[in-house]
Amino acid sequence: MANGNFQLAILRWYEENGRSLPWRETRDPYAIWLSEVILQQTRIAQGTDYWHRFMRRWPTVELLAAATEDEVLKEWQGLGYYSRARNLHAAARQIVANGGFPRTYEGIRALKGVGDYTASAIASIAFGLSHAAVDGNVYRVLSRYFGISTPINSTGGKKEFQQLDDELLPHDKAGTWNQAMMDFGALQCTPQSPRCLLCPLQESCYALRTGKIEELPVKEKKLKRRERFFTYFLLQNNGQTAIRRRGSNDIWQGLWEPILKEEPFPKEETEVKHILTHQTIYARMMAVKAVDSDLPEGYQWIDFSDLADYALPRLVEKLLEKH
Ligand code: SF4
């Protein structure tokens, strides 16, 4: 199916199956923005109640801005993720201070708590601006239908899906398109058991044809970072200190370092946090007077003044700068 037919099928499906939601009856940007913020982490049924409550109590952005933060937080109670409420309130004040609701994508995107997706949704639904709003639903529908296996949580993936949705977006119906894709993903092409048998796209859907519904969309597994705790002891012995060369089966192979003890300590005691690709190192350093000249295996005495001649890991340099 060509892109044009995909568009038509989605729009037609939406006409027949789209949800009727109270904020879809209005072009008031405030009402639409409020719905988007509430629905960011909340199911529609619960979100609808809260949306009505907010609209009854504060029917305009000016009234919301005039409320206290406590009043807004109280009304928000039960929805969780309170930073959303705080941002909502701060943004209401931003809007009033700027003389009204912003009418451009950039202006909307600059509001507190508004990301790319929300800005696109508001810009297209309230003002008919041509911006494709790509959320989890859109990733799922596009990756299944077009057979795109680029991970949706990778930088490349985000770009690719955004680009595709930008191309598909009918410029005269941007708001309708965004809502149609959202509903299609939420009701038809659901994460589990999508309703393929009743789907208008079934004949040309890549995932259905190839049996890859379970595999799409692809999400990159984020490697769990390993946490390590390094305590360095900077021995002091008549102008000398002890270092060793690091071995070959760990990071910083061949570099030099003071006496190291690797053992967990409270994170608050960290002096330098060092982030590597797959590990985070919490490090601290202690200067200690040497009581005798015996050293653990592998370490050797050197003059303090020569320390700078040895290749040290950047982490050790940072710790030394602090001592
Ligand atoms: S056929 Fe199934 S997987 Fe393909 S778009 Fe329709 S609901 Fe989604």
Side-chain angles (χ1 to χ4, degrees):
M1 196 188 270
N3 288 356
N5 293 339
F6 174 81
Q7 278 178 337
L8 276 183
I10 291 282
L11 291 171
R12 202 168 296 147
W13 177 92
Y14 182 63
E15 254 172 51
E16 286 163 22
N17 304 283
R19 292 174 285 198
S20 82
L21 299 166
W23 49 87
R24 287 188 176 166
E25 320 278 302
T26 172
R27 303 284 301 252
D28 174 9
Y30 167 65
I32 293 165
W33 167 55
L34 183 62
S35 76
E36 288 296 336
V37 176
I38 290 177
L39 293 181
Q40 271 164 20
Q41 268 121 346
T42 304
R43 282 172 302 109
I44 294 251
Q46 191 194 13
T48 308
D49 282 352
Y50 277 82
W51 182 84
H52 279 301
R53 268 200 245 169
F54 268 75
M55 286 303 288
R56 262 198 306 270
R57 182 149 180 200
W58 298 297
T60 65
V61 68
E62 287 77 16
L63 289 169
L64 179 65
T68 66
E69 189 182 89
D70 277 348
E71 286 170 330
V72 176
L73 290 175
K74 187 90 191 86
E75 200 65 53
W76 192 268
Q77 216 165 32
L79 273 179
Y81 301 98
Y82 283 84
S83 58
R84 284 188 292 162
R86 271 188 217 103
N87 288 339
L88 183 79
H89 184 240
R93 294 196 163 172
Q94 229 179 318
I95 293 169
V96 172
N98 291 339
F101 207 96
R103 305 182 67 86
T104 61
Y105 173 84
E106 292 72 23
I108 300 168
R109 178 71 178 77
L111 295 175
K112 245 187 142 186
V114 171
D116 295 339
Y117 167 79
T118 310
S120 299
I122 300 169
S124 63
I125 299 168
F127 302 113
L129 298 174
S130 206
H131 284 272
V134 181
D135 73 343
N137 289 312
V138 175
Y139 284 129
R140 187 168 59 255
V141 174
L142 295 182
S143 79
R144 283 179 178 164
Y145 180 79
F146 291 99
I148 305 170
S149 53
T150 319
I152 58 173
N153 54 344
S154 63
T155 318
K158 282 183 188 145
K159 244 198 193 142
E160 188 176 345
F161 283 97
Q162 181 72 50
Q163 216 162 24
L164 176 57
D165 202 18
D166 283 341
E167 279 164 27
L168 293 166
L169 182 84
H171 296 289
D172 54 337
K173 291 194 192 82
T176 309
W177 176 257
N178 286 334
Q179 296 180 92
M181 287 293 278
M182 196 187 308
D183 278 15
F184 190 82
L187 305 174
Q188 184 78 33
C189 195
T190 50
Q192 262 81 50
S193 331
R195 303 166 67 197
C196 305
L197 285 178
L198 299 168
C199 179
L201 300 172
Q202 56 177 223
E203 274 174 30
S204 42
C205 173
Y206 173 90
L208 183 63
R209 231 179 28 215
T210 56
K212 293 220 167 117
I213 287 166
E214 306 280 303
E215 290 156 47
L216 292 168
V218 174
K219 222 173 174 181
E220 205 167 52
K221 282 208 181 52
K222 290 267 177 267
L223 278 172
K224 205 172 153 1
R225 292 179 155 275
R226 182 172 160 213
E227 293 198 324
R228 300 176 75 176
F229 294 82
F230 285 11
T231 303
Y232 280 111
F233 295 96
L234 193 60
L235 282 195
Q236 295 175 339
N237 182 12
N238 295 326
Q240 291 203 305
T241 192
I243 57 171
R244 70 158 179 189
R245 199 181 187 125
R246 285 185 64 90
S248 60
N249 48 5
D250 199 355
I251 51 171
W252 305 330
Q253 185 185 338
L255 300 186
W256 295 79
E257 67 184 356
I259 293 181
L260 169 66
K261 188 165 109 193
E262 190 172 353
E263 198 175 87
F265 56 77
K267 277 191 190 157
E268 311 82 76
E269 291 174 20
T270 305
E271 291 177 318
V272 174
K273 184 173 158 191
H274 196 71
I275 298 187
L276 300 168
T277 317
H278 301 305
Q279 35 187 304
T280 302
I281 299 172
Y282 299 89
R284 60 183 181 174
M285 182 175 268
M286 294 178 188
V288 243
K289 279 220 156 7
V291 277
D292 61 39
S293 52
D294 285 347
L295 286 173
E297 213 190 305
Y299 289 89
Q300 65 188 70
W301 291 109
I302 60 151
D303 285 342
F304 244 116
S305 49
D306 292 340
L307 195 53
D309 298 337
Y310 289 84
L312 306 169
R314 181 72 195 115
L315 168 65
V316 172
E317 284 177 353
K318 283 197 229 161
L319 287 166
L320 284 169
E321 282 161 19
K322 292 180 178 277
H323 284 265

